[in-house]
């Protein structure tokens, strides 16, 4: 396997990043067969081997060149302090590392962390945060279920990953200071073999195209001739809309690519201006 010339990508085997990583690769047109039982899967239509590993091992694999590239949460990457080059953010796996405190406590300033015990699985990231803020606190390193540490009397506060905040609530904790923002990123080994560079560049181009497309939708509607100008003003987006004559001489079709989040903001104005038969379609790929 080592010398087959394929680009080697490490992704999480079984966890929160797995499905989104595979979805992204498939959206890039890569044919990756059922992966659940295997450690390595080769794409059928691209010189790419996907290695399935624990997320904690990905920075080291990429540093050592066992994998050429990896998809990994920035939280793990920065905690592990390995040498790998961040190529791009991937737009999924977003979360925040923050200080969680008991519901009945208040923290007015970061300085109030002085001399406290803080439980975390991220001693390096927390350590840097405390240092930046010139705070001396005791870091209690635990590998899982950090949120129960205050109720067990092991620590005053915690520093853990939060996305919805439900886990904090369940443990009678609440959010305090934000320590680190994270999302999944693509990392690359520092010494990528020259022959693999075109494979990586092609893959990155496809990822850009998929990510651009995910941020946009394709909007189509029918518009009375007199309203075409008004409708064109309402539509935000990438370039000017496409305006096409219809069989009905009084109407035109208007098509446009719009940012995903804007549809519900403009929908009422479009209808009020006379648009009908409004369709909003997903876009698979978009090359700018
Ligand atoms: O087995 P392996 O080591 O590969 O997986 P893992 O258990 O270490 O990681 P996993 O699958 O839980 O998470 C992988 C990555 O997903 C993390 O490194 C983050 O980059 C990202 N991510 C996004 C999250 C969350 N959201 C998240 N909510 N990782 C963990 N959580 C946990 C958090 O630790 C806490 O226990 O979810 C809980 C909080 O969630 P809420 O929604 O209740 O706030
Ligand atoms: Zn892990």
């Amino acid at each position: 396997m080592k010398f087959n010339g394929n680009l080697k990508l490490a992704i999480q085997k079984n966890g929160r990043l797995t499905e989104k990583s595979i979805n992204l690769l498939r959206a890039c047109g890569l044919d990756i067969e059922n992966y659940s039982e295997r450690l390595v899967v080769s794409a059928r239509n691209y010189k790419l081997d996907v290695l399935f590993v624990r997320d904690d091992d990905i920075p080291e694999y990429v540093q050592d060149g066992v994998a050429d590239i990896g998809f990994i949460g920035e939280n793990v990457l920065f905690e592990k302090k390995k040498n790998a080059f961040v190529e791009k953010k991937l737009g999924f796996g977003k979360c925040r590392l923050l200080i969680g405190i008991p519901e009945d406590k208040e923290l007015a300033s970061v300085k109030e962390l002085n001399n406290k015990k803080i439980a975390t699985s991220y001693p390096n990231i927390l350590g840097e945060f405390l240092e930046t803020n010139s705070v001396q606190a005791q870091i209690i390193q635990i590998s899982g279920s950090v949120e129960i540490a205050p109720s067990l009397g092991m620590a005053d506060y915690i520093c853990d990953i939060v996305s919805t905040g439900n886990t904090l609530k369940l443990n009678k904790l609440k959010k305090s200071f934000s320590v680190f923002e994270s999302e999944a990123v693509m990392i690359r080994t520092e010494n990528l073999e020259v022959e693999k560079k075109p494979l990586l560049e092609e893959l990155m181009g496809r990822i850009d195209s998929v990510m651009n497309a995910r941020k946009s939708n394709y909007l189509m509607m029918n518009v009375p001739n007199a309203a075409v100008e008004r409708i064109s003003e309402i539509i935000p987006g990438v370039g000017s809309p496409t305006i096409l004559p219809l069989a009905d001489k009084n109407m035109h079709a208007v098509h446009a690519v719009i940012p995903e989040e804007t549809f519900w903001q403009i929908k009422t104005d479009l209808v009020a201006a006379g648009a009908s038969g409004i369709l909003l379609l997903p876009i698979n790929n978009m090359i700018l």
Side-chain angles (χ1 to χ4, degrees):
M1 190 195 98
K2 197 157 194 292
F3 304 109
N4 65 5
N6 286 0
L7 192 64
K8 291 181 190 15
L9 163 67
I11 68 172
Q12 191 184 23
K13 181 173 171 51
N14 187 10
R16 286 166 201 265
L17 303 181
T18 308
E19 195 182 335
K20 291 198 167 135
S21 300
I22 290 284
N23 285 349
L24 177 61
L25 295 173
R26 289 188 172 149
C28 289
L30 305 186
D31 184 357
I32 292 161
E33 67 179 291
N34 196 334
Y35 54 92
S36 55
E37 301 300 323
R38 312 262 298 273
L39 290 179
V40 183
V41 169
S42 301
R44 288 205 186 90
N45 56 355
Y46 203 86
K47 284 178 68 64
L48 178 83
D49 295 334
V50 184
L51 282 59
F52 293 90
V53 294
R54 281 201 60 195
D55 68 346
D56 310 72
D57 296 332
I58 292 175
E60 179 149 359
Y61 282 175
V62 171
Q63 171 181 278
D64 298 349
V66 175
D68 301 308
I69 52 175
F71 292 173
I72 184 69
E74 288 171 297
N75 51 317
V76 176
L77 177 67
F78 285 87
E79 183 59 31
K80 299 288 173 190
K81 294 185 162 199
K82 300 290 177 196
N83 292 327
F85 182 82
V86 177
E87 285 283 4
K88 63 170 70 256
K89 295 191 183 249
L90 296 173
F92 60 86
K94 290 187 179 167
C95 56
R96 272 197 305 164
L97 252 184
L98 50 74
I99 304 287
I101 65 172
E103 272 169 357
D104 55 357
K105 296 263 166 57
E106 293 301 331
L107 273 187
S109 125
V110 182
K111 299 283 180 226
E112 292 179 23
L113 295 173
N114 261 316
N115 304 319
K116 299 291 186 198
K117 288 183 185 169
I118 310 172
T120 189
S121 314
Y122 294 89
N124 289 328
I125 295 179
L126 175 59
E128 274 180 36
F129 172 81
L130 295 175
E131 203 179 311
T132 309
N133 288 285
S134 308
V135 169
Q136 305 274 341
Q138 190 182 341
I139 298 175
I140 312 283
Q141 184 176 350
I142 37 185
S143 56
S145 303
V146 169
E147 55 286 334
I148 60 169
S151 60
L152 295 180
M154 285 169 67
D156 300 294
Y157 308 129
I158 65 164
C159 171
D160 198 12
I161 291 181
V162 174
S163 53
T164 61
N166 290 338
T167 308
L168 285 184
K169 261 194 213 121
L170 276 174
N171 289 281
K172 301 204 179 324
L173 300 169
K174 63 182 180 184
K175 296 178 191 175
S176 179
F177 301 105
S178 186
V179 172
F180 188 81
E181 304 262 342
S182 176
E183 70 178 85
V185 290
M186 180 204 268
I187 54 173
R188 168 176 67 71
T189 192
E190 286 186 328
N191 301 308
L192 184 71
E193 292 156 57
V194 181
E195 316 81 74
K196 292 185 178 178
K197 284 198 172 140
L199 290 171
L200 177 58
E201 265 158 35
E202 167 68 22
L203 178 62
M204 292 212 300
R206 292 190 194 188
I207 291 175
D208 283 343
S209 153
V210 169
M211 287 180 64
N212 289 334
R214 282 179 177 172
K215 287 185 224 142
S216 304
N217 279 322
Y218 197 74
L219 176 67
M220 301 164 72
M221 73 201 94
N222 294 337
V223 176
N225 295 344
V228 168
E229 207 176 316
R230 170 80 192 111
I231 296 268
S232 304
E233 285 165 7
I234 295 170
I235 295 173
V238 185
S240 60
T242 305
I243 298 167
L244 305 163
L246 289 176
D248 177 346
K249 296 266 178 292
N250 301 313
M251 304 283 283
H252 275 78
V254 176
H255 295 188
V257 173
I258 59 165
E260 192 194 12
E261 68 283 359
T262 53
F263 177 70
W264 294 107
Q265 295 159 16
I266 63 168
K267 186 215 135 218
T268 313
D269 291 347
L270 293 174
V271 172
S276 59
I278 300 174
L279 296 179
L280 188 70
L281 309 175
I283 300 172
N284 289 336
N285 280 282
M286 192 162 126
I287 294 156
L288 294 174

